[in-house]
Amino acid sequence: MAPDRFPVSIEGRDLELSNLDKILFPAAGFTKGEVIDYYTRVAPVILPHLADRAVTRIRYPNGVDGVHFFEKNKPGGTPGWVRLETLPVPGSTKSRETIDFVVVDDLPTLVWLANLAALELHTPQWKIGKNPDLLVVDLDPGAPAGLRECSAVAVLMRDRLAADGVAAFPKTSGKKGMQLCCPISGTQDAELVTAYAKKVAEELAAMVPASITAKMAKAIRPGKIFIDWSQNAAAKTTVTPYSLRAQEHPTVSTPLTWDEVEAVGTGAAEPHHYRPAEVLDRIEAHGDLLSELLVPGPKVPVS
């Protein structure tokens, strides 16, 4: 066996880790071993958000400066103990094509994916075989707008959703924007949830047209926050809470408190992109700020 490969047993599952010293974030000197360590330590809070959801991975085998690829199907050499679910290709109208999706229900599977340099994990708003139990509002800033402007819009969206009895929980995307995640009943289909998200996005865009748009056309987005309601479509995925992001330096899609969001939105605090060590410290202090997403919420209003 090559010296850079290490057999390990995790919760009774045997797997092999490799090239732990390989640098995946060159600007930060952050190695694959550190990626695996982060996902192992964050497992108690990320696994409940991954459970029962088909996961799309973005893999960076040669680091964030190298070629990357999206992966939905099971990769070659998938261990027999990894949970797979055969589902129609997302967006396939006739459901004739299928994919063997990986489902990350346990620590061995999470570590196995981290060892494959699956830096980013993205999940849909539905669990296997069920209607969506999450509504997601994606806030995407068009430069020169950034996290400060996103935060101000997030507060407006929180209050608008609350008027319908829908609770919103904020997180950074780990890149330039934010998402608001809302637990819903799981009894309504994705088309209905998407229609509601679009309606609310268009309402806010009409209220503050100089700062907010609900239209996807990039030409009209500079300086505005695009409320991307389409993330609720059944074929779409959103970065999973606590996932790493493939930036120059490793960042994390980080749950926030509303006090933090309001402070950034009003200018009382500076926007911040959280690093893995900071996120682990936050978990130690706060636990999972998105734990309420794991409990069913209300139905969304039907127009």
Side-chain angles (χ1 to χ4, degrees), residues 39-87:
Y39 274 120
T40 299
R41 294 169 66 187
V42 85
V45 292
I46 194 174
L47 284 173
H49 296 289
L50 290 165
D52 290 324
R53 299 184 195 272
V55 66
T56 296
R57 292 86 62 200
I58 310 182
R59 291 176 57 183
Y60 292 78
N62 293 307
V64 297
D65 293 341
V67 174
H68 67 276
F69 58 94
F70 286 76
E71 188 173 62
K72 292 182 180 289
N73 215 342
K74 67 175 183 180
T78 297
W81 43 261
V82 170
R83 179 182 170 189
L84 302 174
E85 293 286 347
T86 302
L87 301 171

Side-chain angles (χ1 to χ4, degrees), residues 128-164:
I128 303 294
K130 297 182 179 179
N131 284 318
D133 60 352
L134 294 174
L135 180 153
V136 169
V137 177
D138 187 67
L139 303 177
D140 184 10
L147 270 178
R148 186 176 310 288
E149 292 79 8
C150 277
S151 297
V153 173
V155 173
L156 290 177
M157 179 59 79
R158 174 198 66 186
D159 294 345
R160 173 59 187 86
L161 291 168
D164 286 335

Side-chain angles (χ1 to χ4, degrees), residues 202-274:
E202 289 176 341
E203 283 183 22
L204 288 193
M207 282 174 49
V208 197
S211 302
I212 300 173
T213 181
K215 295 181 179 178
M216 295 185 186
K218 291 195 174 181
I220 62 173
R221 285 160 56 178
K224 297 184 180 183
I225 303 303
F226 169 45
I227 302 177
D228 187 357
W229 45 267
S230 73
Q231 288 295 307
N232 295 285
K236 292 287 190 76
T237 61
T238 304
V239 64
T240 307
Y242 303 105
S243 172
L244 290 172
R245 301 309 304 268
Q247 301 287 80
E248 182 180 17
H249 290 263
T251 56
V252 175
S253 181
T254 307
L256 303 171
T257 68
W258 277 112
D259 284 346
E260 290 171 324
V261 175
E262 290 172 355
V264 171
T266 60
E270 289 299 311
H272 187 67
H273 295 279
Y274 291 89

Side-chain angles (χ1 to χ4, degrees), residues 271-287:
H272 187 67
H273 295 279
Y274 291 89
R275 305 285 176 85
E278 293 176 300
V279 171
L280 292 169
D281 287 342
R282 288 171 63 83
I283 293 165
E284 188 74 24
H286 301 297

